[in-house]
Amino acid sequence: MTETQCAGSCAADDDLRVIVDSHARRLDGLEDDVDTLKSGQSAMMEKLISVEAQGQERERNRAVEASDTRNALTALTKQIAEHTGAQKRQNQLAEDSLRRWKKLAVMVGIICAVGSAVGSTLLSDQEVASTIWVRWLHLREPWDVAQGGREDAANLSTH
């Protein structure tokens, strides 16, 4: 290059150096901005990961609580069913006992009715009544006591 050529280009080289320096400073500023953005992005990613982890932890806790609640409800349902079953069984046993008592009462009533019928039939016969009162119970006959006893009966038979 000659001086005439250099004069025009030398000025351009100085201008280019200024422009390149200016661009270098701007690039340094942009790199700083990019670094700042990257660090901010990294911080935001870390925060996002933290928030997501907390959300997952909350979801796990809710699932555990829901499972515990379901288990508690299932246990309570079983207890209520057992209690209801026990009450039904107690009621059934009480009804069976009542049925037995009713049958026993009917049987006792029938026995008493038959006994009173037989007793009244037998006691209405004077021979049977006399046998029961005198020979078995060794008592005086109730009708003899009211009328004077055997002496009146003996007097009647001799007359």
Side-chain angles (χ1 to χ4, degrees):
M1 278 199 173
T2 62
E3 267 190 51
T4 54
Q5 291 176 340
C6 183
S9 67
C10 284
D13 281 339
D14 287 336
D15 288 337
L16 285 177
R17 281 190 193 134
V18 171
I19 292 172
V20 169
D21 286 339
S22 167
H23 285 294
R25 276 180 275 154
R26 285 178 52 199
L27 282 175
D28 287 340
L30 287 175
E31 285 176 356
D32 289 341
D33 290 344
V34 168
D35 287 341
T36 303
L37 288 174
K38 281 183 181 179
S39 66
Q41 185 181 16
S42 295
M44 287 177 69
M45 287 299 286
E46 289 174 7
K47 185 132 182 134
L48 179 63
I49 290 170
S50 172
V51 167
E52 188 174 333
Q54 289 173 354
Q56 289 174 353
E57 183 66 26
R58 276 194 293 266
E59 188 62 33
R60 276 193 294 271
N61 289 342
R62 282 188 198 130
V64 167
E65 288 174 2
S67 176
D68 291 345
T69 302
R70 278 192 301 272
N71 291 339
L73 285 174
T74 301
L76 182 61
T77 303
K78 285 180 183 178
Q79 287 176 351
I80 290 172
E82 289 172 357
H83 183 70
T84 303
Q87 282 182 336
K88 284 182 181 179
R89 181 68 181 146
Q90 286 177 345
N91 290 344
Q92 187 180 27
L93 290 173
E95 287 175 10
D96 291 346
S97 176
L98 182 63
R99 242 183 266 121
R100 282 192 294 273
W101 279 106
K102 283 181 179 179
K103 285 179 183 177
L104 181 63
V106 167
M107 295 299 288
V108 167
I110 290 172
I111 290 171
C112 288
V114 168
S116 65
V118 168
S120 65
T121 302
L122 289 178
L123 290 178
S124 67
D125 183 18
Q126 196 165 5
E127 288 293 320
V128 173
S130 293
T131 302
I132 292 172
W133 285 103
V134 175
R135 289 190 185 162
W136 292 347
L137 299 176
H138 304 291
L139 298 173
R140 297 174 69 192
E141 295 172 340
W143 52 88
D144 283 346
V145 172
Q147 296 173 357
R150 284 186 181 211
E151 296 159 359
D152 287 342
N155 289 337
L156 286 176
S157 63
T158 56
H159 284 5

